[in-house]
């Protein structure tokens, strides 16, 4: 993305996703006709696939390095996906996104997996990073989500 005009990025992503959906993902779906679909965004920024006839499909998109992924919910239910490169991150990054009780390990595999889970959940919720990642606590693969001082498990 370096050197790319930020105003052009959504158009490029939209074009690539439309091509991907048209040519690969949705070719066998009977309700998809003649390239009559468009990737748009909800007010929250969450992507949605608009199909001719008013059908709205939930979609989640991710990329990291040379890898990219997308999932589509044919039922319209929210979904979330994330791909992350496994890499060593510093303690400042860990302190920014995780609570101390979550960090049973500081290994790159563990912290990357934990971050990917949180980011996929934030996409599922449709909030993105407008919710503090420390409000989502994952300990031993058990989720706790805090919102306005209310704890959900």
């Amino acid at each position: 993305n370096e050197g790319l005009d930020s105003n052009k990025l959504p158009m490029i992503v939209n074009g690539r996703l439309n091509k991907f959906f048209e040519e690969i993902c949705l070719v066998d779906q009977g309700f998809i006709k003649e390239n009559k679909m468009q990737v748009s965004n909800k007010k929250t920024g969450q992507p949605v696939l608009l199909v001719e006839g008013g059908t709205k499909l939930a979609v989640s998109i991710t990329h990291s390095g040379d890898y990219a992924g997308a999932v589509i919910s044919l039922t319209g239910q929210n979904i979330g996906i994330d791909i992350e490169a496994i890499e060593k991150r510093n303690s400042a990054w860990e302190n920014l996104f995780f609570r101390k009780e979550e960090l049973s390990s500081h290994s790159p595999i563990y912290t990357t997996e934990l971050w990917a889970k949180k980011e996929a959940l934030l996409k599922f919720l449709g909030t993105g990073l407008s919710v503090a990642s420390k409000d989502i606590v994952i300990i031993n693969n058990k989720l706790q989500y805090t919102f306005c001082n209310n704890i959900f498990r």
Side-chain angles (χ1 to χ4, degrees):
N1 297 342
E2 290 182 28
L4 183 63
D5 180 354
S6 63
N7 294 325
K8 292 182 181 178
L9 185 59
M11 294 182 338
I12 293 169
V13 170
N14 190 26
R16 288 182 181 171
L17 285 173
N18 277 333
K19 183 176 180 177
F20 175 75
F21 292 136
E22 292 166 7
E23 295 178 2
I24 300 169
C25 293
L26 300 175
V27 293
D28 295 327
Q29 300 299 323
F31 60 89
I32 305 294
K33 299 175 185 163
E34 302 175 17
N35 305 332
K36 303 288 183 178
M37 66 184 108
Q38 174 184 351
V39 178
S40 185
N41 294 89
K42 296 178 181 179
K43 291 179 182 177
T44 61
Q46 191 176 23
V48 63
L49 186 63
L50 306 174
V51 182
E52 180 182 39
T55 303
K56 293 181 182 179
L57 304 176
V59 61
S60 184
I61 304 158
T62 186
H63 68 88
S64 181
D66 292 336
Y67 299 95
V71 291
I72 301 167
S73 169
L74 297 178
T75 64
Q77 296 292 321
N78 283 355
I79 50 179
I81 185 175
D82 190 45
I83 297 172
E84 295 290 335
I86 297 171
E87 58 190 19
K88 177 87 173 120
R89 294 177 171 98
N90 62 36
S91 60
W93 179 83
E94 289 179 357
N95 293 334
L96 185 62
F97 295 108
F98 305 115
R99 293 185 184 194
K100 288 179 183 177
E101 61 266 29
E102 290 180 283
L103 294 172
S104 60
S105 170
H106 295 277
S107 78
I109 292 173
Y110 179 80
T111 56
T112 300
E113 180 183 343
L114 190 58
W115 174 247
K117 288 175 182 178
K118 285 189 176 203
E119 193 163 4
L121 179 63
L122 291 168
K123 290 177 180 182
F124 169 80
L125 294 171
T127 63
L129 290 174
S130 66
V131 169
S133 67
K134 284 187 174 183
D135 285 345
I136 297 170
V137 179
I138 302 171
I139 300 173
N140 297 325
N141 278 330
K142 293 187 179 167
L143 172 68
Q144 178 177 303
Y145 175 61
T146 305
F147 182 70
C148 294
N149 296 322
N150 295 311
I151 299 173
F152 303 91
R153 297 174 196 250

